[in-house]
Amino acid sequence: GEASLYARHFDIDWHPLDADLDAKVLLPVLGDAYGSVLDRGELRLAFEADSGSFALRYHEHRFSLDVSDYAALLAAAGIEVHDLRDQLAAIAAGFAALPSRFELDDAALARRAHDKEMCKRRLAQLAAANATLAPALEHALQAFDEPERLHVLLERQAWRLAFWRVASDQINYRRFFDVNSLAALRMERRAVFEATQSLALDLTAAGVADGLRIDHPDGLRDPAQYFLRLQQGHARRAGLVLAESPGARPARPLYLVAEKIAALHEELPESWSVHGTTGYRFASLVNGLFVDGAAEPRMDRIWRGFAHDERSFEEHAHAGKRDVMRSVLGSELTVLASELLRIARADRRSRDHTFPSLRYALAEVTACLPVYRTYIVTSASPQDRRYIDGAVAQARQRNPAADASVFEFVRRTLYGEAGEGAPSALGQRALDWAVRFQQFSAPVAAKGVEDTAFYRYLRLVSLNDVGGDPARFGISVRAFHRAGVERATHWPHTLVATSTHDHKRSADVRCRIDVLSEMPAAWRLLLRRWSRMNRAYRVRAPGSAPAPSPADEYLLYQTLLGTLPAGGLDAATLGPYRERMVAYLLKAAREAKLRTSWTAPDAGYEAALRGFVEGLLGRVTPNLFLDDLTVQARALAWFGAFSSLGTALLKFTSPGVPDVYQGHEVVNLTLVDPDNRQPVDYDALSRTLAGLEALDPGRAGELLEAPHDGRAKLWIAWRLLDLRRARPELFREGDYAPLQVEGAQAEHVVAFARRHEGVVLIVIVARLLAKLLGEPGRLPCGGEVWGDTRVAVDLADGTRLRNVLDGGIVVVANGRVALADAFARFSGAALVPTD
């Protein structure tokens, strides 16, 4: 309890409004209602002789008993072990003499902890020296097999056991999202920081680790402080001096990147002591290049017509956030609303605001917040106020009949401010509340958007990935260039990623599904044909909607097209693939939380989902659907593979540090975890690389004949990493300059230059090749495809450029590079001047 040395390490509300939890921590770990578990005898007391401790056991769980109960337990055992009675009484007296667990300062807590451990050690030594003691203690504990007596004992503990479902309503500690077993640490406390981060910093100072990737920093009370402490801790251990840096950006001797999900209109604070983010925004940007934005209206109609869903993504995101605040994060909302009520009642001008009205307004504002969180520490910045103002305005617009004064009170408190003339103590209380709110809004956004709305709004699911915005249907070449210039200027060492451990779909799967945007008419016909073809596998129980839902069926077809092996399935591969699809669809349906969920699974609906997938993929032949799917997937695999090659080329040459997720050096068609957490066959990858290293670059074009076998993708990675090694300054410090593309096929090309102190690299990438080429099997190379298309370059006429990817030579003419030459043998170009 509160007497623990670590009680303040964790973010626990020891004195919530619920009096039953005063000075206790709720532990929602039981598989059934507390009374039922108790009556069945699943809770058992045990004596642990090695440590001299008493504990409660529940399956794999162990809960320490309060030492204030030890004296009574030892006295009961002393009755049976007469020769040890005096020694047990002395140890019991030591436990009884320990001070109360309330109102102890740090020094008193340390003394209490020391004395407690001494008493336990004496008990352990006595048990080790006397074989009769442990059995006597165990026998004494049998008296607590009677449920009522055990219940009385448990009520005195500093914890309260509960059914796991209680967590969403009553939990009084902050968690990692809604994972009850992961309690949040108060990293803002120096003692907690030192206790938990020392090992990592020792490794960086020793050169064992080159840098740190910080997951979920938005869960921290003060991310900026945490990053600065990491830099300071590393510098101190490494014997470095952190020099004062001009401007807002601090010194950063340790390479740090933060997993920050930023909205399109949001920028990473340059005051943070980091080198950038983990690359999710780049993954979204580069994927958007291969989506045909002109098809958005048609894809809208197709999705709405098939799924019968007229809601926008913004509406789905709002609903998703409200849903998680009503369910898995409901207790966190209640804790915040309770403290907000206390703040309101401390001021005469807001004392009439009621708990229901405050809780409702707070939930609405949170659901409307356009970013994961604000970053208020001592006061709200103009950007923080802008986000809060926008959220409050939208919440009021959604609830015109609600009391406007409640929303205004919420707005002011979200700023971290009390009313005019309020005492300074109330202002500090409001500021503390606003800071704590920020640790709530971030998980609401993550669970409500990424883990809910992303599984409900399925227009083109290649857009539904971490860091992405499904409402944004592709991006323009101009927008991609603008982001490249911004990254080179402000965050040149940020990670640039495509696939990660957190992806919903790998980059290769997304590239395949992107192709649907280039063929909306064909996609509409496929949906109509497959829906009719597979209607026999749908289930409709009396009084219920069809299963699977149209949205889940729509998702399944996209997923099959994105993941089906290019060579199709045979008797050996069909079964494992079918089980992967069943597992994925079940997870997706539970994340959507519409017909089933993790907390309330609907066995009937989930059985219908399984039956539908097993019907579609029940056998290799005869199977009209699988035959048709294989033909269509082969086309998407062809064009998607070239998009994947373009994605790789952009990742390895754009400003930033390319991040290659393990196993994705080659084509890897994985879905969300656990599908993307499989073991990697490094030996096979090494053999493939060895074969490529022996290949003459002039024959690189041969790799394009089977672009989906992974060799061409690995070739690009190897050749460009080799170039990065040879010219490190170009990639670390080089600028980014968009290049103008001219000619009939200009919309199918993106080109830019990297320059640093006279060293130059010209990058040219092909895009939207399904629209350009029409039928699969045709290579995007040569003059027949590219005609008069050219890229304007700032190089002298006659300059000879070598394509690192195929060894070909391109000559600058009239300040232009002809695509017919640059793409003569390979579908991408990384051009450097010849020596």
Side-chain angles (χ1 to χ4, degrees):
E2 289 181 282
S4 168
L5 288 174
Y6 307 107
R8 289 187 289 171
H9 278 46
F10 295 92
D11 202 346
I12 300 169
D13 182 4
W14 287 104
H15 303 286
L17 284 181
D18 186 348
D20 288 340
L21 286 176
D22 189 59
K24 294 179 182 286
V25 59
L26 185 77
L27 301 180
V29 298
L30 302 180
D32 199 352
Y34 167 74
S36 299
V37 172
L38 187 67
D39 290 342
R40 289 197 297 265
E42 295 178 36
L43 303 175
R44 305 296 297 270
L45 292 180
F47 173 62
E48 299 166 343
D50 291 345
S51 61
S53 302
F54 291 96
L56 182 78
R57 296 290 178 81
Y58 173 69
H59 299 298
E60 74 275 17
H61 299 287
R62 174 194 179 276
F63 308 99
S64 299
L65 288 192
D66 195 314
V67 292
S68 64
D69 289 306
Y70 279 31
L73 296 173
L74 293 175
I79 296 174
E80 299 187 25
V81 192
H82 298 283
D83 57 329
L84 300 178
R85 182 180 300 176
D86 292 342
Q87 291 165 284
L88 287 175
I91 296 173
F95 282 119
L98 293 173
S100 166
R101 61 174 175 254
F102 304 112
E103 299 178 2
L104 298 179
D105 59 26
D106 288 346
L109 284 175
R111 287 194 301 272
R112 184 186 188 279
H114 175 268
D115 294 345
K116 177 190 68 174
E117 292 305 316
M118 286 294 294
C119 292
K120 289 168 66 177
R121 191 174 302 118
R122 289 172 59 196
L123 180 58
Q125 291 169 348
L126 188 62
N130 297 272
T132 58
L133 179 55
L137 288 170
E138 289 289 350
H139 185 265
L141 295 180
Q142 290 178 11
F144 292 92
D145 289 347
E146 197 280 310
E148 185 57 33
R149 187 173 182 186
L150 180 57
H151 171 65
V152 172
L153 175 67
L154 298 186
E155 286 293 275
R156 295 199 296 268
Q157 305 310 307
W159 37 262
R160 193 188 104 193
L161 299 182
F163 187 20
W164 65 267
R165 289 184 182 275
V166 172
S168 61
D169 296 321
Q170 282 191 305
I171 202 164
N172 62 329
Y173 60 89
R174 192 165 57 86
R175 303 166 289 172
F176 175 74
F177 296 115
D178 58 344
V179 183
N180 296 336
S181 58
L182 296 179
L185 291 161
R186 295 177 63 189
M187 197 62 68
E188 65 275 8
R189 299 189 72 226
R190 174 67 75 172
V192 180
F193 179 88
E194 293 296 338
T196 58
Q197 308 300 285
S198 292
L199 175 60
L201 292 173
D202 288 344
L203 295 175
T204 63
V208 176
D210 294 321
L212 298 176
R213 180 195 196 278
I214 309 302
D215 253 14
H216 304 287
D218 277 345
L220 296 165
R221 183 179 177 89
D222 185 354
Q225 175 200 68
Y226 172 75
F227 295 134
L228 180 59
R229 283 180 174 175
L230 285 176
Q231 296 288 1
Q232 291 171 336
H234 170 78
R236 186 170 62 252
R237 287 167 171 81
L240 304 173
V241 177
L242 283 182
E244 292 291 331
S245 300
R249 177 162 291 186
R252 298 167 299 161
L254 171 63
Y255 185 72
L256 284 181
V257 287
E259 189 201 31
K260 164 64 182 168
I261 309 299
L264 294 174
H265 47 75
E266 182 184 15
E267 293 301 329
L268 195 68
E270 290 198 37
S271 59
W272 282 7
S273 304
V274 299
H275 292 78
T277 68
T278 53
Y280 295 160
R281 175 177 284 187
F282 178 83
S284 174
L285 287 167
V286 73
N287 180 72
L289 272 180
F290 298 94
V291 173
D292 185 5
E296 182 174 13
R298 299 179 71 181
M299 294 295 284
D300 263 346
R301 290 193 295 270
I302 294 169
W303 157 245
R304 291 172 179 170
F306 191 91
H308 313 297
D309 187 346
E310 295 293 327
R311 289 172 294 177
S312 66
F313 175 71
E314 289 78 8
E315 291 172 301
H316 277 289
H318 180 273
K321 292 184 193 179
R322 286 305 310 260
D323 284 353
V324 299
M325 285 187 282
R326 277 191 289 262
S327 55
V328 294
L329 297 179
S331 58
E332 285 85 349
L333 176 62
T334 297
V335 168
L336 278 172
S338 299
E339 178 60 17
L340 188 61
L341 178 65
R342 294 187 185 106
I343 295 171
R345 287 181 174 174
D347 190 327
R348 67 181 187 277
R349 289 159 295 193
S350 55
R351 63 181 295 178
D352 285 342
H353 296 330
T354 64
F355 177 78
S357 66
L358 288 171
R359 191 179 192 276
Y360 181 83
L362 180 60
E364 273 296 307
V365 173
T366 305
C368 294
L369 196 68
V371 290
Y372 270 51
R373 60 168 285 177
T374 51
Y375 294 96
I376 298 169
V377 178
T378 57
S379 62
S381 69
Q383 177 173 268
D384 293 332
R385 290 176 183 269
R386 186 166 65 250
Y387 292 144
I388 292 169
D389 289 347
V392 171
Q394 187 179 351
R396 288 187 58 182
Q397 186 177 11
R398 285 178 173 272
N399 301 273
D403 184 350
S405 67
V406 175
F407 283 104
E408 288 307 309
F409 172 74
V410 171
R411 180 209 303 269
R412 186 179 68 238
T413 317
L414 285 171
Y415 289 164
E417 299 172 357
E420 186 177 349
S424 59
L426 187 59
Q428 184 60 49
R429 197 168 174 180
L431 179 60
D432 289 342
W433 181 89
V435 172
R436 187 172 181 83
F437 166 80
Q438 298 171 141
Q439 294 174 283
F440 169 70
S441 65
V444 167
K447 297 299 293 182
V449 180
E450 290 177 33
D451 292 343
T452 303
F454 274 18
Y455 290 93
R456 295 179 179 180
Y457 183 81
L458 309 168
R459 177 178 62 176
L460 187 69
V461 295
S462 54
L463 301 175
N464 297 22
D465 225 295
V466 182
D469 181 2
R472 189 182 191 185
F473 199 86
I475 68 162
S476 66
V477 172
R478 178 177 296 179
F480 181 82
H481 286 323
R482 189 163 55 244
V485 171
E486 178 76 12
R487 198 179 323 112
T489 303
H490 298 285
W491 300 103
H493 310 305
T494 188
L495 287 186
V496 287
T498 45
S499 296
T500 74
H501 72 291
D502 268 342
H503 67 234
K504 308 294 187 189
R505 297 158 195 85
S506 70
D508 295 308
V509 174
R510 295 197 302 271
C511 284
R512 286 188 177 192
I513 296 173
D514 288 342
V515 177
L516 293 176
S517 70
E518 300 181 66
M519 43 186 285
W523 172 230
R524 180 175 59 84
L525 293 175
L526 277 180
L527 285 170
R528 183 182 301 173
R529 183 165 72 244
W530 288 348
S531 182
R532 286 199 305 264
M533 189 182 294
N534 298 321
R535 59 189 171 190
Y537 301 120
R538 295 191 199 97
V539 174
R540 183 160 192 166
S544 66
S549 68
D552 285 340
E553 186 176 355
Y554 189 94
L555 171 63
L556 176 61
Y557 293 146
Q558 290 186 79
T559 305
L560 293 173
L561 287 169
T563 60
L564 194 76
L569 297 168
D570 56 27
T573 58
L574 177 64
Y577 179 77
R578 181 174 58 232
E579 285 306 307
R580 280 182 63 208
M581 294 303 103
V582 168
Y584 171 73
L585 199 60
L586 287 175
K587 175 166 183 170
R590 287 181 176 182
E591 296 284 22
K593 307 171 189 65
L594 295 174
R595 300 284 295 274
T596 186
S597 68
W598 295 107
T599 55
D602 186 317
Y605 186 73
E606 293 187 359
L609 288 180
R610 173 176 285 277
F612 189 74
V613 177
E614 291 176 345
L616 269 57
L617 304 175
R619 56 190 177 188
V620 175
T621 185
N623 189 331
L624 292 177
F625 169 73
L626 184 57
D627 292 344
D628 196 9
L629 173 68
T630 302
V631 172
Q632 305 304 327
R634 189 173 293 128
L636 266 66
W638 176 265
F639 294 118
F642 284 103
S643 296
S644 179
L645 298 182
T647 296
L649 177 50
L650 290 168
K651 177 171 70 175
F652 287 109
T653 55
S654 292
V657 179
D659 177 31
V660 182
Y661 183 49
Q662 49 195 325
H664 289 252
E665 297 90 341
V666 295
V667 172
N668 200 314
L669 303 174
T670 57
L671 298 167
V672 71
D673 65 280
D675 194 57
N676 63 359
R677 312 280 177 94
Q678 304 304 316
V680 178
D681 190 342
Y682 290 107
D683 290 339
L685 288 173
S686 296
R687 289 193 298 271
T688 303
L689 179 59
L692 294 176
E693 289 173 336
L695 182 69
D696 185 322
R699 297 178 55 195
E702 297 173 9
L703 301 175
L704 301 184
E705 295 173 6
H708 34 58
D709 70 5
R711 292 183 303 149
K713 184 179 177 183
L714 182 57
W715 172 266
I716 289 175
W718 170 54
R719 299 292 290 179
L720 293 178
L721 286 173
D722 197 47
L723 179 65
R724 292 181 72 98
R725 184 185 299 112
R727 307 186 183 189
E729 292 82 6
L730 172 65
F731 290 98
R732 280 203 302 261
E733 309 298 337
D735 64 7
Y736 179 98
L739 298 180
Q740 184 69 34
V741 184
E742 307 165 348
Q745 312 303 344
E747 70 165 320
H748 297 281
V749 179
V750 55
F752 60 86
R754 302 291 309 277
R755 293 187 178 88
H756 179 69
E757 295 183 351
V759 180
V760 65
L761 168 69
I762 306 296
V763 178
I764 310 174
V765 175
R767 60 189 286 264
L768 304 180
L769 292 180
K771 284 178 67 175
L772 177 66
L773 302 176
E775 292 298 319
R778 185 182 175 195
L779 293 178
C781 302
E784 183 180 346
V785 173
W786 296 104
D788 65 346
T789 309
R790 302 174 304 279
V791 176
V793 295
D794 187 18
L795 294 171
D797 287 353
T799 301
R800 292 168 57 81
L801 303 171
R802 177 176 57 87
N803 189 351
V804 173
L805 300 179
D806 66 5
I809 300 298
V810 179
V811 180
V812 178
N814 299 317
R816 307 288 189 273
V817 168
L819 266 291
D821 297 332
F823 289 170
R825 295 179 296 184
F826 205 79
S827 60
L831 305 173
V832 296
T834 58
D835 296 332

